[in-house]
Amino acid sequence: MAHGEYTFETKLLHNKHKIDPVTGAVSVPIQHASTFHQSDFDQFGKYDYGRSLNPTREALEDVIAELEGGIKGFAFSSGMAAISTAFLLLSAGDHIVITEDVYGGTFRMVTEVLTRLGIEHTFVDMTNLEEVKQAIQPNTKAFYVETPSNPLMKVTDIQAISNIAKETGALTFVDNTFLTPSYQRPLELGADVVLHSATKFLSGHSDVVAGLAVVNDEDLAKRLGFLQNGFGAILGVQDAWLVLRGIKTLHVRLEQSQKSALKLAEFCDAHPLVEKVHYPGLESHPQYQIQKAQAAGPGAVLSFELANEDALRTFLAHVKIPVFAVSLGAVESILSYPAKMSHAAMPQAEREKRGITNSLVRLSVGLENPDDLINDFSQAFKQVEQSQLVLQQGETS
Ligand SMILES: Cc1ncc(COP(=O)(O)O)c(C=O)c1O
């Protein structure tokens, strides 16, 4: 059986970098050298300088390319470095159609940097294909999709957007951070560039900042490789090794976290203090069917809204198990406050327009027993109830 025929779980472990051909080591060696001796004056070897190519980084790039079903992967120093470098495929005068509730750092890059470089954009609700079509301009060169989106978990039909992009003669970029190739492979749905914050599920342990890009076209691979080397925001070798290690357990981590996420989403959905739950694993989610059709699972991230900011503050002050932090996709559960964390770069008016309210919290479910998380949430919700009672008594007395 050729390793290309293995199932995804097996491919995570059995790939061309499983065994080091020199020593037989079963872990990819970390090659620190920044430069490589050239034994021939005219003919340089495959490796010449660490920014251009490094064997440890290359192993990660090969692994992610295979997992995403692409021909070439690229590793960057952060998710934003991957995204920003991919945007350099565009030129002054070009236009991007982009998901409106995109990650805050991407929003900042598009609105405050690309505009300065003469690259325009239109934000759209990507779940509305008519709105997407209406946003197309003669100079539209890229469609930028994040699905499920951050933090409202809206689901975009990747195939439909890729088809529109092809008709327009534009590229489709998909940020696949939330689902990873374990659950969603955008290139197979017609996308051109897949992007990752590998800081999240791919590495999985809150101990590395990294970004990845994958393409499945030779010309795009050449152009992105040129930009990776030219811009130079490459991933360091220790970090490349950490991502490689994290990827080996990606599927089991995601499966477990996803199971727990569904339990937590159902618990929150039934709780009287929770106004709204955003999770594409709930049948009530508006794009539940699209999610089911294009991905193998809804993932392990959800968000929910309480009645107001005060209620949320009380909840966060009393919840004990999840860390309260920026980021997601780790072994430990993480609660984040998008208004002040992932989407702080978005002005309040823009956030509110998109529904990213001050009472919205995002939960990335880790590997704790979900019943412990539910008990923890229950006791924190009780505290919210009590504080509301105290407030009501104060108003009536
Ligand atoms: C969906 C998404 N894309 C991109 C990024 C940026 O990645 P990084 O923080 O690794 O630069 C993040 C970070 O939170 C993210 O959530």
Side-chain angles (χ1 to χ4, degrees):
M1 198 178 188
H3 74 78
E5 294 165 26
Y6 290 151
T7 57
F8 185 84
E9 293 92 310
T10 307
K11 276 189 201 168
L12 290 172
L13 301 157
H14 298 271
N15 52 54
K16 81 181 216 210
H17 296 284
K18 175 179 163 188
I19 298 167
D20 174 46
V22 178
T23 62
V26 296
S27 170
V28 171
I30 299 178
Q31 178 50 263
H32 267 283
S34 61
T35 193
F36 298 81
H37 172 69
Q38 305 303 320
S39 44
D40 190 287
F41 183 81
D42 292 309
Q43 200 84 49
F44 285 5
K46 177 179 175 189
Y47 304 101
D48 60 1
Y49 185 59
R51 171 162 39 76
S52 315
L53 194 60
N54 166 283
T56 312
R57 194 178 81 230
E58 183 186 26
L60 171 59
E61 292 174 336
D62 288 348
V63 167
I64 192 63
E66 185 182 3
L67 296 178
E68 283 286 5
I71 58 158
K72 188 93 183 74
F74 301 92
F76 297 89
S77 54
S78 67
M80 279 320 302
I83 292 166
S84 305
T85 305
F87 277 137
L88 295 179
L89 288 165
L90 304 174
S91 303
D94 289 351
H95 171 254
I96 308 166
V97 177
I98 181 166
T99 311
E100 63 184 354
D101 60 333
V102 76
Y103 167 64
T106 308
F107 175 89
R108 178 170 49 204
M109 186 68 199
V110 168
T111 56
E112 294 189 44
V113 181
L114 296 190
T115 42
R116 230 169 9 82
L117 303 178
I119 300 168
E120 301 166 356
H121 60 269
T122 305
F123 284 108
V124 291
D125 175 356
M126 282 242 172
T127 64
N128 181 342
L129 296 178
E130 273 319 301
E131 196 181 323
V132 172
K133 285 181 195 159
Q134 272 165 21
I136 296 170
Q137 298 182 9
N139 56 344
T140 299
K141 290 290 161 53
F143 289 74
Y144 190 97
V145 180
E146 202 179 286
T147 183
S149 66
N150 185 1
L152 292 173
M153 309 303 296
K154 286 185 178 176
V155 174
T156 296
D157 184 335
I158 299 173
Q159 184 93 63
I161 297 293
S162 304
N163 290 344
I164 294 172
K166 282 191 176 74
E167 282 163 21
T168 314
L171 296 172
T172 304
F173 294 12
V174 178
D175 184 329
N176 203 25
T177 298
F178 273 35
L179 292 184
T180 82
S182 256
Y183 290 155
Q184 178 168 274
R185 290 191 279 281
L187 296 177
E188 292 172 3
L189 300 169
D192 300 289
V193 183
V194 175
L195 297 157
H196 281 284
S197 169
T199 315
K200 310 294 171 3
F201 290 103
L202 288 171
S203 57
H205 293 72
S206 301
D207 54 11
V208 57
V209 174
L212 296 168
V214 183
V215 298
N216 61 1
D217 170 87
E218 290 289 354
D219 176 56
L220 256 184
K222 253 193 220 134
R223 287 162 62 201
L224 199 53
F226 177 84
L227 289 167
Q228 183 195 36
N229 186 39
F231 194 65
I234 48 141
L235 187 63
V237 293
Q238 296 277 356
D239 290 344
W241 187 87
L242 281 169
V243 180
L244 276 166
R245 185 170 69 172
I247 282 176
K248 292 182 187 184
T249 57
L250 170 67
H251 197 73
V252 282
R253 283 186 285 106
L254 254 177
E255 287 277 286
Q256 184 57 42
S257 290
Q258 178 177 260
K259 250 194 254 164
S260 305
L262 182 58
K263 262 187 140 175
L264 273 134
E266 284 168 348
F267 164 76
C268 289
D269 203 32
H271 200 286
L273 281 186
V274 179
E275 304 261 309
K276 197 156 193 197
V277 178
H278 306 273
Y279 183 57
L282 293 178
E283 281 185 42
S284 55
H285 187 284
Q287 293 94 36
Y288 176 77
Q289 292 302 343
I290 296 173
Q291 176 69 17
K292 234 178 134 182
Q294 74 179 5
V301 181
L302 56 127
S303 59
F304 57 92
E305 288 168 52
L306 300 189
N308 51 49
E309 187 178 331
D310 280 344
L312 188 59
R313 277 175 184 270
T314 311
F315 172 73
L316 290 171
H318 290 92
V319 80
K320 292 190 178 83
I321 297 176
V323 295
F324 179 54
V326 172
S327 205
L328 58 102
V331 286
E332 61 278 327
S333 292
I334 302 177
L335 277 167
S336 310
Y337 186 46
K340 287 212 163 98
M341 292 177 170
S342 56
H343 291 68
M346 202 179 265
Q348 183 160 351
E350 294 291 327
R351 281 201 307 270
E352 277 169 8
K353 234 195 287 172
R354 289 161 169 79
I356 306 169
T357 64
N358 286 357
S359 52
L360 177 82
V361 67
R362 192 185 69 198
L363 171 66
S364 164
V365 182
L367 298 180
E368 302 90 349
N369 186 312
D371 294 336
D372 288 334
L373 287 166
I374 287 172
N375 288 339
D376 188 25
F377 277 34
S378 291
Q379 65 78 25
F381 283 139
K382 278 205 184 93
Q383 298 288 341
V384 177
E385 269 158 7
Q386 256 162 29
S387 69
Q388 284 179 344
L389 227 58
V390 171
L391 217 66
Q392 279 165 10
Q393 279 163 358
E395 278 167 10
T396 51
S397 62

